[in-house]
Amino acid sequence: MSETILLDHGAGGRASAELVASVFARHLNNPILAELDDAAVLPAPAGRLAVSTDSFVVDPIFFPGGDIGSLAVHGTVNDVAMRGARPLYLTAAFVLEEGLPLADLERVVASMARAAKQAGVAVIAGDTKVVGRGQADKLFINTTGIGLIPDGVEVGAHLARPGDAVLVSGSMGDHGVTIMATRQGLGLEAPLASDSAPLNGLTAALLAACPGLHVLRDPTRGGLATALNEIAARSGVSIELNEQAIPIDPAVAGVCELLGLDPLYLANEGKLICLLPEAQAPAGLEALRAHPLGGRAAVIGRAGQAHPGRVWLNTAVGGRRILDMLSGEPLPRIC
Ligand code: MG
């Protein structure tokens, strides 16, 4: 077999079949995928399903803390988990650029397989297309996730109430700053790594500890500030944050200062925001901190009703400023 991707690999003939067998089926194998028929056939679980789809175009495709393959699993698993669902299945569609080294593709697919295993999901359907040189950049991946929402669980961005405590599971901005620094080839002394991780274990622990939880959200593109603006608008509440309570890694803060970036607007790929009744905040915090991905969890603010849709930041120096939605695109191809 050729050592790079050829147009032939996407033509649906012998080369395509070889690629599927030697890379995709080999790494992602499970009984449903193994049928390799026109559609996967699944048992239908009773209850409500959560479905989410996302395309991943991150540049570079390998970065400290992950790669486009693990990110494509985590991003979609996390969106499904943010509705309180237990992720079960993923589909994966690949757009490959002619000339992509086969070794790079294999590294990405093996990483996807490890990430899926860790998250407890099976990749049950897939597709591969190849485009000519320059018509795509190395590879793009689309994943769709399907999860089951347990009975009685009702979480969504529209369910925040005045008086809710606002929690985050850890430090903000790690993924965005890592991609930016890697892309710019900054030879930084500070060890930066993406936080890319599956959050379904964390959400399950949180839902078990706090059955009255209102909102779960992963602050990906647009960061914490944009996600909270969406929640405030959808729920008709205001949100007030204490800057000093928001965990930010010193290395991330340093690079942000150097590059003129605000960590509150940078993408995270392994952190969640949670809004829940104030009385349940201690239990929520405890559940988050007991999990390996939530060690730096913190209560960072509170929802109110004074200015519905507004997000305020009480700054470390005693000021007060409005945190607006992200406008423009400071970091294209971040995920
Ligand atoms: Mg999301």
Side-chain angles (χ1 to χ4, degrees):
M1 204 156 132
S2 157
E3 286 183 4
T4 60
I5 291 296
L6 310 171
L7 285 170
D8 225 19
H9 284 123
R14 189 185 301 275
S16 300
E18 274 175 21
L19 183 69
V20 167
S22 67
V23 178
F24 296 108
R26 186 154 74 82
H27 288 285
L28 301 171
N29 196 29
N30 61 68
I32 299 173
L33 186 67
E35 288 193 59
L36 294 177
D37 213 321
D38 275 350
V41 174
L42 313 171
R48 294 164 301 157
L49 296 175
V51 179
S52 184
T53 193
D54 211 338
S55 295
F56 296 84
V57 298
V58 66
D59 172 36
I61 60 172
F62 300 107
F63 48 83
D67 56 69
I68 192 169
S70 52
L71 188 64
V73 171
H74 297 154
T76 295
V77 159
N78 292 348
D79 276 343
V80 168
M82 293 308 130
R83 294 308 303 271
R86 187 163 63 86
L88 300 172
Y89 302 115
L90 283 182
T91 70
F94 295 78
V95 177
L96 310 177
E97 183 191 12
E98 179 190 11
L100 174 74
L102 208 55
D104 284 359
L105 177 64
E106 182 141 20
R107 192 175 151 196
V108 165
V109 175
S111 170
M112 282 188 92
R114 279 193 302 274
K117 192 172 177 198
Q118 192 196 353
V121 295
V123 177
I124 47 104
D127 178 54
T128 310
K129 295 289 180 337
V130 180
V131 297
R133 277 175 204 277
Q135 294 174 345
D137 187 8
K138 299 179 195 73
L139 80 157
F140 300 149
I141 305 175
N142 172 276
T143 50
T144 297
I146 302 170
L148 183 64
I149 304 175
D151 282 342
V153 169
E154 201 67 62
V155 296
H158 60 294
L159 295 174
R161 293 289 170 265
D164 278 359
V166 181
L167 280 64
V168 291
S169 64
S171 59
M172 292 290 113
D174 302 22
H175 178 76
V177 114
T178 301
I179 298 300
M180 203 60 186
T182 308
R183 198 184 297 166
Q184 303 215 339
L186 293 178
L188 298 164
E189 279 151 44
L192 291 173
S194 168
D195 56 346
S196 183
L199 292 170
N200 48 324
L202 200 58
T203 53
L206 199 49
L207 283 162
C210 308
L213 193 128
H214 291 153
V215 182
L216 289 169
R217 195 85 177 199
D218 54 341
T220 52
R221 273 178 307 175
L224 177 70
T226 301
L228 288 176
N229 268 277
E230 286 165 5
I231 293 166
R234 294 284 314 279
S235 295
V237 299
S238 58
I239 293 176
E240 190 154 347
L241 301 178
N242 298 316
E243 187 174 30
Q244 279 170 305
I246 303 171
I248 295 169
D249 191 90
V252 170
V255 176
C256 280
E257 205 155 303
L258 190 71
L259 298 178
L261 301 168
D262 183 341
L264 302 187
Y265 287 89
L266 292 182
N268 308 276
E269 294 290 347
K271 303 288 160 51
L272 61 81
I273 303 169
C274 161
L275 277 77
L276 76 184
E278 178 101 66
Q280 294 190 26
L285 197 58
E286 196 183 329
L288 288 173
R289 285 185 176 164
H291 193 279
L293 292 174
R296 290 191 66 195
V299 177
I300 61 164
R302 180 165 292 106
Q305 51 194 352
H307 302 277
R310 274 273 153 84
V311 180
W312 301 89
L313 183 72
N314 294 321
T315 66
V317 293
R320 190 169 149 84
R321 73 176 166 103
I322 292 175
L323 276 189
D324 217 336
M325 306 249 325
L326 178 69
S327 52
E329 177 52 288
L331 301 171
R333 295 184 59 187
I334 204 77
C335 58

